[in-house]
Amino acid sequence: MSTIPVVLPASPAVLPVAGHPGRPLAIDLGDARERLVRHRIYGLVNSAARLRRFMESHVFAVWDFQSLLKAMQQRLTCTTVPWVPTADPEARRLVNEIVLDEESDELPEGGSASHFELYLDGMRKAGADTTPIERLLGLLVDGAPLPQSLVACGAPPAAAAFVRRSFAVIESGSTHGIVAAFTYGREDVIPDMFRSLVSSLAARDPGWERFHWYLERHIEADDEKHGPVCRRIVSRLCGDDAAKWAEASAAARGGIEARIEFWDAIAADLETMPSA
């Protein structure tokens, strides 16, 4: 199968504050996103076998995405009893809307599932190995600590390292840092990278149809709804505080740098496989 070229949209290194044109307060990504967009991995995921291998590592990032989202929800809404209203009603509504989509999306055949569960179902139908990620979930349900569980489940080392960095952000206690890492450092570029390839696979093999549908839903949610919503939350949290904008920028860049390191490791693994 030949490589399908992917053209990704350019993104400015400095993203201005919504509603404040020309102001210096902004998210500064440096050249991190450009390096992520131009990573060699996209040319390597050029066959069904390589895409399955990619998914077997990437699923851990899909899982910890949900944990980062729940950390946002804990800080921007009230998730304890007795309930009390949080300070920012708009941020409360925005994050709850994201949780609704990500944690319990509507399925075409009826019922609901999280986007992680959709991804996992797509892996199963495509013949990818789900054993390590399912073992991780089982260990966590049984109460095992995450660090030990990442080792015991047999997660790929690069995937485990990526999860550990995500949880370091969660444990930092910085609300604007967590939201910035979620907004700018997560999966805003992934769907477009692989949509063409998976569309081609799904046309020939029904096993890829679920993963194709997952990507379409992810693109719809992130591009049209979640991205703009999250940027509004970051802006509301940082306000006119230059120090907060600098901290949010560092968290966003850190998330992208972690993704680049993750991609480096997966790419090196894919290069050991036969080319398409």
Side-chain angles (χ1 to χ4, degrees), residues 72-137:
M72 282 174 51
Q73 188 182 34
Q74 287 175 351
R75 285 162 176 77
L76 295 174
T77 77
C78 181
T79 59
T80 58
V81 177
W83 178 87
V84 293
T86 49
D88 190 333
E90 183 177 2
R92 187 193 313 154
R93 178 179 179 84
L94 294 175
V95 74
N96 279 333
E97 288 177 352
I98 297 172
V99 171
L100 176 64
D101 288 340
E102 293 288 348
E103 196 172 40
S104 49
D105 202 358
E106 293 180 301
L107 300 178
E109 66 273 18
S112 303
S114 69
H115 284 183
F116 167 75
E117 289 165 314
L118 289 175
Y119 193 99
L120 199 60
D121 188 43
M123 289 182 67
R124 294 188 188 105
K125 287 180 167 58
D129 184 10
T130 62
T131 304
I133 187 66
E134 291 180 308
R135 188 180 294 134
L136 174 67
L137 297 178

Side-chain angles (χ1 to χ4, degrees), residues 176-228:
H176 53 280
I178 291 168
V179 179
F182 181 89
T183 302
Y184 301 100
R186 299 304 299 194
E187 306 190 63
D188 64 318
V189 295
I190 290 173
D192 284 335
M193 298 171 194
F194 302 113
R195 177 160 55 175
S196 296
L197 174 59
V198 177
S199 178
S200 175
L201 290 170
R204 300 193 308 273
D205 181 351
W208 290 97
E209 289 178 358
R210 176 63 94 184
F211 189 53
H212 185 214
W213 189 83
Y214 159 83
L215 285 177
E216 294 293 342
R217 292 294 291 174
H218 205 64
I219 292 165
E220 177 185 353
D222 284 0
D223 286 355
E224 299 177 11
K225 295 170 61 178
H226 298 173

Side-chain angles (χ1 to χ4, degrees), residues 9-93:
S11 179
V14 178
L15 304 176
V17 181
H20 300 277
R23 291 182 58 178
L25 299 181
I27 291 293
D28 183 0
L29 301 179
D31 68 346
R33 192 180 190 280
E34 180 71 12
R35 288 187 289 113
L36 176 62
V37 165
R38 298 187 179 281
H39 200 283
R40 74 186 193 279
I41 194 171
Y42 313 126
L44 294 171
V45 185
N46 58 3
S47 70
R50 284 185 167 187
L51 183 54
R52 279 191 289 267
R53 182 72 67 85
F54 169 85
M55 294 168 77
E56 288 162 3
S57 286
H58 179 240
V59 66
F60 285 87
V62 178
W63 170 76
D64 79 359
F65 172 93
Q66 300 287 347
S67 295
L68 201 58
L69 174 58
K70 298 307 284 188
M72 282 174 51
Q73 188 182 34
Q74 287 175 351
R75 285 162 176 77
L76 295 174
T77 77
C78 181
T79 59
T80 58
V81 177
W83 178 87
V84 293
T86 49
D88 190 333
E90 183 177 2
R92 187 193 313 154
R93 178 179 179 84

